Amino acid sequence: MQATTVLVEGESDRVAVETLAARAGHDLAARRVAVVPMGGATSIVHFLDRYGPNGEGHRLLGLCDVGESHGVARALVRSGIGPGPLAELGFHVCDADLEDELIRCLGTDAVLNVIEAQGELASFRVLQRQPSQRERPVKEQLRRFFGGRSGNKVRYARLLVDALPAGQAPPPLARLVASF
């Protein structure tokens, strides 16, 4: 069985992918699937060189933010994997980022319930009262909350995926995990 490497931008993406895969009953180790955070999409060339057709020859899949999709597409062409639509090449694109996808999929009330269960709703309410946040939509405030404190994105990635109703995951994440 050929090894599969799933390239994701960061640690929170890795946690979300692995959490959804486990919920779907995928044994990643048995399937020889490794989810590898790249430390940002701009590092993709290094990872394609290492794991791609000119490296270890793994089957490559990935997840990226829409803002990084053009760079990912160029890197896939350079490595000999592309050209073509990213989804057809196994790389799935989040509209803004994975947190945005999870918030949209769950809805703000469910996300606020997750934050409240962690005892951090008061902290989120303080963020909402900040002058720079007052006029922003709740969805944007939630994204700021997750990205504003060290470790929050990683911790909440698992919690938000666990809060998803069965069979209801953000489309890019669901398509990626279904391709394992």
Side-chain angles (χ1 to χ4, degrees):
M1 175 187 301
Q2 180 184 22
T4 298
T5 298
V6 181
L7 301 175
V8 296
E9 290 189 33
E11 189 64 23
S12 63
D13 301 322
R14 180 193 63 79
V15 169
V17 169
E18 289 177 350
T19 301
L20 187 61
R23 284 187 60 181
H26 295 299
D27 180 344
L28 298 184
R31 292 175 183 233
R32 297 189 60 208
V33 174
V35 183
V36 177
M38 299 181 291
T42 57
S43 299
I44 193 167
V45 170
H46 165 75
F47 289 91
L48 293 174
D49 287 346
R50 179 175 178 184
Y51 297 111
N54 298 318
E56 296 179 25
H58 293 188
R59 176 179 175 237
L60 294 174
L61 302 171
L63 185 71
C64 69
D65 301 343
V66 71
E68 305 295 344
S69 62
H70 294 295
V72 169
R74 283 191 304 274
L76 291 172
V77 168
R78 177 193 167 277
S79 71
I81 296 169
L86 286 177
E88 290 179 15
L89 299 173
F91 285 75
H92 303 277
V93 180
C94 296
D95 275 346
D97 55 26
L98 187 54
E99 291 76 22
D100 177 62
E101 293 279 355
L102 288 165
I103 293 165
R104 196 166 349 109
C105 192
L106 281 165
T108 56
D109 289 341
V111 174
L112 290 171
N113 290 339
V114 170
I115 293 170
E116 184 174 32
Q118 295 302 301
E120 293 191 324
L121 191 56
S123 178
F124 176 70
R125 297 297 184 209
V126 168
L127 177 135
Q128 286 185 298
R129 290 191 301 269
Q130 294 176 354
S132 64
Q133 296 296 320
R134 286 184 196 145
E135 301 301 318
R136 298 181 79 190
V138 174
K139 183 172 103 169
E140 294 301 315
Q141 294 169 340
L142 288 166
R143 288 181 62 219
R144 176 69 178 122
F145 177 77
F146 295 135
R149 187 180 301 160
S150 179
N152 250 12
K153 284 178 83 168
V154 173
R155 184 164 63 95
Y156 276 98
R158 181 179 326 281
L159 296 168
L160 295 175
V161 171
D162 281 341
L164 292 168
Q168 187 178 347
L173 184 59
R175 287 190 301 266
L176 174 64
V177 170
S179 67
F180 293 169

